[in-house]
Amino acid sequence: MMSNSQELKSSGLKVTLPRLKILELFQNTMAGDQRHLSAEDVYRLLLIEDMDIGLATVYRVLTQFEQAGLLIRRNFESGKALYELNGGEPHDHLLCLSCGKVIEFNDAPLQARQNEIANEYQFVIQERAMTLYGVCKDCQAKQK
Amino acid sequence: MMSNSQELKSSGLKVTLPRLKILELFQNTMAGDQRHLSAEDVYRLLLIEDMDIGLATVYRVLTQFEQAGLLIRRNFESGKALYELNGGEPHDHLLCLSCGKVIEFNDAPLQARQNEIANEYQFVIQERAMTLYGVCKDCQAKQK
DNA sequence: GTATATGCAAAACTTTTGCATCCTT
DNA sequence: AAGGATGCAAAAGTTTTGCATATAC
């Protein structure tokens, strides 16, 4: 298991407080249902923790982390980018339009079919993004 | 076959020149490879055609058309929304990160699997979005 | 004639950039 | 000591909104 400092170094990034804090933030929020954070989210959460950080730094660090493969950048329909920790396995999303909840799943047959389609078009996949928008089980119950 | 005027009326929208022109624009560009247009794209294409239209109107009309189901709004990784004509059939995208080309495909097994996954989570799908990002056949050839 | 749509300008939001200062190595 | 990182402010890009005028029905 690599420490966060080692993880940053091996990505060619200097170990600084903002970078460590942002990395920890994503690791800690991973447990909750709030796995996807915008730059503004990160900024506000760090201010709450007394971190005196600039929004511009947050944007820069998020971009660097994405390029380093530590985070994945997602574009849902909200108009702003959300980031999540890169857990290694590709996965897709169900996004509830009623409550905003994001359900993640990892489905091998689906990915296999994606690969077959890419092969048909002789297309080399670098990144996958699949989101089904709709209404989750809980919200269906509430609407009745 | 409904005329464009009828199509607007049956969506509860008054028939105005900007709306007709924008609808025609999407119908005409459907033939080419430029099926996905941003608000700015629409604005510039209409200015070329002598239409003296305001950018704000373009945004308003695109939003109305999306709500009426005439257009589909897509959020790829570019940071701005793209719209395409709603052809009725759901379809997904391969987006080339090298040349920006968008390849569309319609794959029944893939959609069937999406439905199965949604059922597992008792999730009601309203909209699908799947995009594979990578390098297209042509760009692979060029890179050699 | 009335209600809605449009155009323009201003504002709101998200993201990027320039630059002086500070921190990591 | 040197190069990169940070914070602040300003700028750039996208989308929304207020309001007076024009247009569709």
Side-chain angles (χ1 to χ4, degrees), chain A residues 99-129:
Chain A
C99 67
K101 182 169 53 189
V102 178
I103 301 168
E104 305 191 31
F105 64 89
N106 192 333
D107 189 74
L110 193 83
Q111 285 159 25
R113 188 71 199 136
Q114 289 175 349
N115 291 340
E116 286 171 22
I117 292 166
N119 280 340
E120 276 177 37
Y121 289 92
Q122 298 183 255
F123 188 90
V124 177
I125 299 178
Q126 287 180 4
E127 190 61 46
R128 301 158 197 261

Side-chain angles (χ1 to χ4, degrees), chain A residues 26 29-37 72 74 76 82-96 100-107 110-111 130-132 136, chain B residues 117-118 120-121 123:
Chain A
F26 276 95
T29 54
M30 193 167 71
D33 45 305
Q34 186 70 338
R35 281 175 42 78
H36 299 80
L37 302 176
I72 297 177
R74 304 276 182 194
F76 299 118
L82 301 184
Y83 292 82
E84 67 172 309
L85 212 52
N86 185 355
E89 291 189 334
H91 63 272
D92 299 309
H93 302 85
L94 302 177
L95 195 153
C96 179
K101 182 169 53 189
V102 178
I103 301 168
E104 305 191 31
F105 64 89
N106 192 333
D107 189 74
L110 193 83
Q111 285 159 25
M130 197 198 95
T131 303
L132 302 177
C136 73
Chain B
I117 292 166
E120 277 177 38
Y121 289 93
F123 188 90

Side-chain angles (χ1 to χ4, degrees), chain A residues 5-7 35 40 60 70 86 105 115 125 134 137:
Chain A
S5 293
Q6 288 174 317
E7 194 137 22
R35 281 175 42 78
E40 187 71 30
R60 279 185 286 233
L70 295 170
N86 185 355
F105 64 89
N115 291 340
I125 299 178
K137 186 184 170 186

Side-chain angles (χ1 to χ4, degrees), chain A:
Chain A
M1 185 60 187
M2 241 195 269
S3 74
N4 284 341
S5 293
Q6 288 174 317
E7 194 137 22
L8 290 176
K9 278 180 194 159
S10 67
S11 299
L13 297 168
K14 284 187 181 171
V15 179
T16 65
L17 200 52
R19 286 176 181 158
L20 282 171
K21 282 290 181 183
I22 291 175
L23 191 47
E24 282 171 19
L25 182 62
F26 276 95
Q27 289 164 345
N28 294 339
T29 54
M30 193 167 71
D33 45 305
Q34 186 70 338
R35 281 175 42 78
H36 299 80
L37 302 176
S38 69
E40 187 71 30
D41 291 337
V42 171
Y43 178 62
R44 265 185 294 107
L45 288 170
L46 290 182
L47 285 191
I48 290 169
E49 293 185 18
D50 292 334
M51 266 298 286
D52 196 9
I53 198 172
L55 183 54
T57 300
V58 173
Y59 274 100
R60 279 185 286 233
V61 171
L62 291 178
T63 302
Q64 292 158 347
F65 281 9
E66 192 210 353
Q67 288 166 353
L70 295 170
L71 296 178
I72 297 177
R73 178 192 168 116
R74 304 276 182 194
N75 288 278
F76 299 118
E77 30 61 326
S78 70
K80 59 184 174 184
L82 301 184
Y83 292 82
E84 67 172 309
L85 212 52
N86 185 355
E89 291 189 334
H91 63 272
D92 299 309
H93 302 85
L94 302 177
L95 195 153
C96 179
L97 294 171
S98 178
C99 67
K101 182 169 53 189
V102 178
I103 301 168
E104 305 191 31
F105 64 89
N106 192 333
D107 189 74
L110 193 83
Q111 285 159 25
R113 188 71 199 136
Q114 289 175 349
N115 291 340
E116 286 171 22
I117 292 166
N119 280 340
E120 276 177 37
Y121 289 92
Q122 298 183 255
F123 188 90
V124 177
I125 299 178
Q126 287 180 4
E127 190 61 46
R128 301 158 197 261
M130 197 198 95
T131 303
L132 302 177
Y133 299 95
V135 184
C136 73
K137 186 184 170 186
D138 294 347
C139 288
Q140 288 168 49
K142 277 176 208 152
Q143 283 170 14
K144 280 175 192 164

Side-chain angles (χ1 to χ4, degrees), chain B residues 22 28 33 45 52 59 76 85 93 108-109 112 115 118-119 125 142:
Chain B
I22 290 175
N28 294 338
D33 45 303
L45 288 170
D52 196 10
Y59 274 101
F76 299 118
L85 212 52
H93 301 86
N115 291 338
N119 280 339
I125 298 177
K142 278 177 209 151

Side-chain angles (χ1 to χ4, degrees), chain B residues 65-143:
Chain B
F65 280 10
E66 192 211 353
Q67 287 166 352
L70 295 171
L71 296 178
I72 297 177
R73 178 192 167 116
R74 304 277 182 192
N75 288 276
F76 299 118
E77 30 60 324
S78 71
K80 59 183 173 186
L82 300 185
Y83 291 83
E84 67 173 307
L85 212 52
N86 185 355
E89 292 189 332
H91 63 271
D92 299 308
H93 301 86
L94 302 176
L95 195 154
C96 179
L97 295 172
S98 178
C99 66
K101 181 169 54 188
V102 178
I103 301 167
E104 304 191 26
F105 65 90
N106 191 331
D107 189 75
L110 193 82
Q111 285 159 25
R113 187 70 200 137
Q114 289 174 351
N115 291 338
E116 286 172 21
I117 292 166
N119 280 339
E120 277 177 38
Y121 289 93
Q122 298 182 253
F123 188 90
V124 178
I125 298 177
Q126 288 181 5
E127 189 62 45
R128 301 158 197 262
M130 196 197 94
T131 303
L132 301 178
Y133 299 94
V135 184
C136 73
K137 186 184 170 186
D138 294 347
C139 288
Q140 289 167 48
K142 278 177 209 151
Q143 283 170 14

